[in-house]
Amino acid sequence: MVNRSIACGMVLVLLLAGGCRRPSASSPEPEPLYHLPLLKQSRDPKLREHFQRLSRRGELPWQLRDVPVPPAENAAEELAQLFPTQKPQQVFDSLAGFFPASPLLEDALRLEQAAAQVRRWQEQLQRARRAMLRPRCVFAIPYDKCLEAELSFIYRVRAAARLAVLQAVEAAAGQRPEEALDHLLLALRLAAALQGHKHPVVQLQAALARAEALEALQGVLSRFSWSSGQLGRVLDVLQRAKADLPSDAQAWVVDRTLGLHFYELLRAGAWNQIITPKDLDRLGTQLAQRLRFATQATLQQDEAYYLDAMEQLIALAARPYHQRRADLTRLEKKWRADAQRYPAAAVLLLPDVLPGMAQQALDRARLQGWILGLQQALGREGPQVVLSPFTGRPYQIIQRQRYLVVLGTGAAPGQPEVPILVPKLSVR
């Protein structure tokens, strides 16, 4: 469900109590489908059991919320106002061509184009910097609206983080290392401002923002000599981010609510609104037709299968990622075997959880790798053996003349691992 959440939230304007017809003026307003009326009315014993269990645990959409923060302490109050006259996704997308950002240091033309974007949005970047002076950041996510939740704040924050990265690269190219470091730390703090929410889309976008900032940090650190105070500032920001990471399982509890809303829409006949061309490719013609014209009873069985599987996935998420990989592989094989009977769950919804879990683990592993490298560069004591949250194997730190090379983070399937290079302290 992670991949469709933002898009669905922006396009679903549905009145689906009795098909897609608008009720007459004398009719009562239909209950929104994100209130799960079809699930609540279901007589399927498995669905009723799941609903009651989720209700007891406080895991239904309207029972979920983040702990509120006083407005004066909350950076979200300011960040939510960024790019007020623009569509924030368009601003964010317009910057995509400059990433990864470290190659800009060797490309004067593209660097000037990036600098022009920074100058264009300088006021918004300064506003983001002021916002991050506040001690906490919690956006008021309407979890009860499931797929229709307004999440455009993600693009506001990620666009600001990208601008901070580009400003850092521009400063590094201009031989202003302290200024470059300031901008990169802002980008890292903006990523951390997203990470503390339970919503899986927000968490995973935080990981992507942090990956972009760390890639640029690597390029900037390699160009200059650094003091213990400067590297210590980086370490402090990363340690704070690691300490504030939420549990993996929270994201998948929320992701399950998005799946429940998806089934409501599917059972209400909103096929054209929720099934994408990519979904059709994954299903294939025969399975797509079977799902589109499935009976209510069949869809309820599909939903019960989904909820059973999500229970397993959420339980597994309580364990470190490397300890659950074998179980995830086993479940993935089972879903492929069951795809003909439960296409919505086994083809469209459950497989998307696996790359999300891997992304969570890689984010943790990158953070841990950077922290270990910086600790050693600064001569700070740490554990003798630390395992990568992604691979379950020990990190290795190799001494080179100018760098410490941190190996063992891990990588996504089919991609090479990128070593972390932490510069040694300059001798002054």
Side-chain angles (χ1 to χ4, degrees):
M1 288 311 303
V2 170
N3 294 334
R4 72 178 75 237
S5 182
I6 294 180
C8 286
M10 296 193 177
V11 302
L12 286 176
V13 185
L14 302 172
L15 296 168
L16 290 168
C20 295
R21 294 171 295 176
R22 184 179 298 276
S24 67
S26 60
S27 302
E29 190 70 19
E31 186 174 14
L33 289 179
Y34 51 73
H35 287 177
L36 312 183
L38 301 179
L39 177 60
K40 287 187 286 191
Q41 297 163 14
S42 174
R43 296 184 179 181
D44 182 277
K46 287 189 175 181
L47 286 184
R48 290 178 67 85
E49 181 183 346
H50 275 293
F51 182 84
Q52 291 164 3
R53 183 186 302 114
L54 296 180
S55 180
R56 288 194 301 270
R57 295 197 305 226
E59 294 176 351
L60 290 168
W62 48 88
Q63 297 173 310
L64 299 173
R65 58 188 58 86
D66 291 308
V67 178
V69 175
E73 300 177 15
N74 194 358
E77 298 291 319
E78 280 283 322
L79 295 175
Q81 306 304 316
L82 294 176
F83 310 104
T85 62
Q86 302 287 326
K87 292 183 178 179
Q89 183 177 357
Q90 291 181 354
V91 179
F92 169 72
D93 289 343
S94 71
L95 303 171
F98 299 115
F99 288 82
S102 61
L104 296 175
L105 291 165
E106 310 300 332
D107 189 333
L109 176 59
R110 290 183 65 240
L111 180 61
E112 176 52 38
Q113 293 170 341
Q117 289 293 318
V118 173
R119 289 192 295 271
R120 177 185 180 190
W121 300 112
Q122 186 64 236
E123 182 181 344
Q124 299 305 308
L125 191 51
Q126 289 302 319
R127 189 170 190 172
R129 187 176 295 279
R130 290 194 302 271
M132 294 311 296
L133 296 175
R134 300 185 183 187
R136 299 177 64 190
C137 184
V138 176
F139 288 93
I141 298 174
Y143 293 101
D144 58 312
K145 292 190 175 180
C146 302
L147 288 168
E148 294 188 47
E150 169 58 56
L151 299 178
S152 64
F153 69 85
I154 294 173
Y155 293 120
R156 300 179 196 277
V157 177
R158 287 215 59 198
R162 279 184 165 177
L163 288 168
V165 168
L166 296 179
Q167 194 168 35
V169 173
E170 180 189 13
Q175 301 299 306
R176 302 188 304 277
E178 184 71 23
E179 182 182 333
L181 192 63
D182 285 343
H183 298 318
L184 286 169
L185 294 183
L186 172 61
L188 288 167
R189 291 198 300 271
L190 286 166
L194 293 176
Q195 75 176 25
H197 299 80
K198 291 191 287 281
H199 201 291
V201 174
V202 187
Q203 282 193 26
L204 297 180
Q205 288 293 322
L208 293 173
R210 183 158 35 237
E212 289 183 348
L214 289 174
E215 185 277 336
L217 178 68
Q218 182 82 90
V220 170
L221 289 183
S222 68
R223 293 176 71 89
F224 304 101
S225 297
W226 301 94
S227 69
S228 60
Q230 290 169 323
L231 293 187
R233 291 177 63 204
V234 180
L235 178 59
D236 289 345
V237 168
L238 296 182
Q239 286 181 318
R240 193 173 304 118
K242 181 175 180 287
D244 292 340
L245 279 171
S247 70
D248 287 358
Q250 287 183 357
W252 308 113
V253 168
V254 176
D255 195 64
R256 178 174 54 197
T257 69
L258 308 182
L260 292 174
H261 190 193
F262 178 85
Y263 277 103
E264 294 288 306
L265 293 160
L266 194 61
R267 288 158 62 190
W271 176 270
N272 292 332
Q273 288 87 352
I274 59 172
I275 300 298
T276 67
K278 181 179 177 181
D279 292 333
L280 295 175
D281 288 341
R282 293 166 72 183
L283 287 165
T285 303
Q286 183 178 8
L287 211 53
Q289 288 295 97
R290 184 180 302 176
L291 179 59
R292 181 169 191 173
F293 298 107
T295 65
Q296 287 291 322
T298 298
L299 291 176
Q300 289 184 91
Q301 291 167 11
D302 196 306
E303 186 172 10
Y305 179 92
Y306 167 77
L307 289 171
D308 285 341
M310 286 301 293
E311 281 288 308
Q312 294 176 288
L313 288 170
I314 291 167
L316 286 172
R319 293 156 46 188
Y321 179 76
H322 62 87
Q323 293 180 9
R324 56 183 122 125
R325 291 181 80 164
D327 289 315
L328 295 177
T329 300
R330 174 181 55 79
L331 287 173
E332 190 175 23
K333 290 179 180 177
K334 184 178 187 303
W335 301 336
R336 285 198 293 267
D338 293 342
Q340 294 296 317
R341 294 183 63 192
Y342 309 108
V347 178
L348 298 183
L349 303 184
L350 296 170
D352 283 347
V353 175
L354 304 188
M357 286 188 169
Q359 188 177 327
Q360 284 176 317
L362 275 172
D363 182 47
R364 290 180 183 275
R366 275 193 296 265
L367 265 178
Q368 184 64 74
W370 271 97
I371 288 169
L372 286 175
L374 286 163
Q375 285 175 329
Q376 185 154 328
L378 290 164
R380 300 187 187 181
E381 290 282 337
Q384 292 298 310
V385 177
V386 179
L387 304 183
S388 163
F390 186 75
T391 68
R393 295 189 292 272
Y395 289 95
Q396 293 179 288
I397 301 181
I398 301 172
Q399 297 276 351
R400 293 288 184 260
Q401 183 176 357
R402 295 180 55 211
Y403 300 101
L404 297 173
V405 182
V406 182
L407 301 173
T409 296
Q415 297 183 10
E417 178 181 324
V418 178
I420 297 170
L421 305 180
V422 178
K424 294 182 178 180
L425 294 179
S426 59
V427 179
R428 296 181 179 178

